[in-house]
Amino acid sequence: MPNGEGTGVNAPDETAERDHALKAGHRAMWALGDYPALAREIIPTLGATLVQACGISPGARVLDVATGSGNAAIPAALAGGAVVACDLTPELLEAGREQAVRHGVKIDWRPADAEALPFADGEFDVVMSCVGVMFAPHHRAAADELVRVCRPGGVIGLLSWTPEGFVGQMFAAMKPYVASPPPGVRPPPLWGDEEHVRSLLGEHVEDLAMRRQTVRVGLFDTPEGFRDYFKSHYGPTIAAYRGIADQPERVAALDRELAELARRHDPAGGAMDWEYLLVTAHRSKHPTAG
């Protein structure tokens, strides 16, 4: 199939190489800093929120895609699910294993690409992702995999940051300071847009329900405290600063942008409300052709 990029007969190989490099970059980025600590300290309730929305019950076969360090996988196991947790970044899986031991739950941790899941068609009763699959670069490929590995009638559950919410605005603020993504790569916060999710899942699911909610974040005493925490803990922010490390004027500008973002969302210095989109659906029992 032509890729439309005019690169000649070697285009498929070049595309595969470019995709391999892109995924390697993603793995390395999410290993930077300390995302497991960030998930525990800032958004510890989000995984349980998604698990409750999915209605996970004892014995359910559950797949947590782009699990990170298990923010949703561990609550799913605590609810009695037979959980497989997969992620592109091995360092996050290792942190998840350690946390699972502390919680006394058994989870099957697997390295996997969300766009090419190593599981059989219809293998799981529940397929979910908590602020995880939204970072897979090719949204259609990732969405198709979520649907494929869910059994007909099974539940698909997603929790994603919205473009208009705090995290979506943070990515917008960082965008001028990072390299442009390769062709076909979509912005992660689009998974928090209802129409985009409907375009990805709509014809493959039934009972599609979407609602916007917020999580309260009260960890930071000052806007600068937020900025400095993300500069040391959050892979995408660390990567953005590394890319401009030899440009002090741009570093200072990004410093100002991130602190001002936090100030707008928390003018009183107490807490911020970060918006996300919570999505649940059932895989259609009558798949469309194609």
Side-chain angles (χ1 to χ4, degrees):
M1 179 181 294
N3 68 2
E5 295 178 17
T7 51
V9 295
N10 294 323
D13 288 341
E14 292 172 5
T15 299
E17 290 176 7
R18 190 164 53 238
D19 191 59
H20 179 77
L22 177 65
K23 300 294 177 62
H26 275 219
R27 281 195 300 271
M29 179 183 71
W30 287 107
L32 296 172
D34 194 346
Y35 183 77
L38 184 152
R40 289 194 310 271
E41 295 169 358
I42 298 181
I43 53 171
T45 63
L46 287 191
T49 296
L50 179 59
V51 167
Q52 183 177 19
C54 291
I56 292 173
S57 58
R61 300 167 301 163
V62 180
L63 176 64
D64 186 21
V65 179
T67 187
S69 52
N71 199 32
I74 291 171
L78 289 169
V83 181
V84 176
C86 66
D87 199 276
L88 193 65
T89 303
E91 292 86 347
L92 297 181
L93 294 175
E94 187 56 39
R97 287 188 185 95
E98 295 173 1
Q99 292 190 47
V101 169
R102 287 196 291 271
H103 284 86
V105 293
K106 183 178 179 181
I107 294 172
D108 184 3
W109 303 90
R110 307 262 195 101
D113 181 348
E115 297 176 7
L117 294 171
F119 306 109
D121 295 358
E123 186 170 341
F124 297 95
D125 302 309
V126 178
V127 179
M128 63 179 186
S129 186
C130 182
V131 294
V133 76
M134 64 180 291
F135 293 100
H138 306 107
H139 294 190
R140 168 59 63 190
D144 287 350
E145 283 294 89
L146 295 176
V147 172
R148 181 185 65 80
V149 300
C150 185
R151 68 167 173 81
V155 174
I156 297 171
L158 304 169
L159 192 155
S160 308
W161 302 119
T162 66
E164 301 84 1
F166 181 86
V167 177
Q169 291 184 32
M170 181 181 71
F171 275 95
M174 293 193 299
K175 183 178 179 180
Y177 300 91
V178 299
S180 297
V185 173
R186 310 298 301 277
L190 276 178
W191 279 90
D193 177 81
E194 291 89 343
E195 288 306 311
H196 186 65
V197 172
R198 190 172 286 110
S199 74
L200 293 174
L201 298 178
E203 64 180 3
H204 304 294
V205 300
E206 302 167 349
D207 308 317
L208 178 61
M210 298 183 280
R211 62 181 183 272
R212 293 189 178 216
Q213 300 181 174
T214 59
V215 59
R216 176 144 287 204
V217 176
L219 184 66
F220 309 111
D221 294 330
T222 66
E224 292 76 17
F226 152 77
R227 178 198 65 207
D228 294 343
Y229 184 96
F230 268 66
K231 285 176 70 172
S232 64
H233 284 70
Y234 194 56
T237 308
I238 296 169
Y241 275 97
R242 286 190 176 185
I244 58 174
D246 60 347
Q247 304 171 64
E249 71 289 345
R250 298 191 76 202
V251 170
L254 182 54
D255 276 348
R256 290 192 297 270
E257 290 256 17
L258 293 179
E260 181 54 33
L261 173 66
R263 188 170 289 109
R264 289 198 305 271
H265 281 260
D266 183 17
M272 295 181 276
D273 292 316
W274 294 5
E275 185 181 65
Y276 59 86
L277 182 68
L278 182 62
V279 176
T280 56
H282 291 91
R283 181 182 173 183
S284 175
K285 295 180 181 178
H286 306 285
T288 55

